[in-house]
Amino acid sequence: MRRRTLKIKLGNSAVPLGADRSKDARSGLTASEQELLRLLASGLTGEVAGRRLGISARSVRRQMAALMERLDASSRFEAGLKAAQHGWLR
């Protein structure tokens, strides 16, 4: 059980090589997290957004799950709504 938990935690923090991991002081989101939210908010599917970011659709799902948890959102829509309300999608 412990091994599975560790794997999930590590998987949620995966970032493509060379990606900017620094967080925006205002939002607490990395540049790649903000870009993912922007792409999904513009109507792209997770698969297309992943291709644009150079990550797999599975990585998109994992990152969105982590973002939803951090934003206390129960859906991708709610996560996007909360991000927009905070001004993080500009």
Side-chain angles (χ1 to χ4, degrees), residues 26-69:
R26 293 170 294 139
S27 68
L29 302 177
T30 65
S32 62
E33 289 170 333
Q34 289 179 349
E35 184 60 20
L36 176 59
L37 284 170
R38 274 191 217 97
L39 291 172
L40 295 174
S42 72
L44 295 181
T45 65
E47 186 176 339
V48 174
R51 271 192 253 133
R52 291 218 183 149
L53 294 172
I55 60 176
S56 70
R58 185 174 182 183
S59 292
V60 169
R61 287 191 301 272
R62 286 181 177 164
Q63 286 185 17
M64 275 310 301
L67 283 168
M68 287 168 50
E69 186 175 327

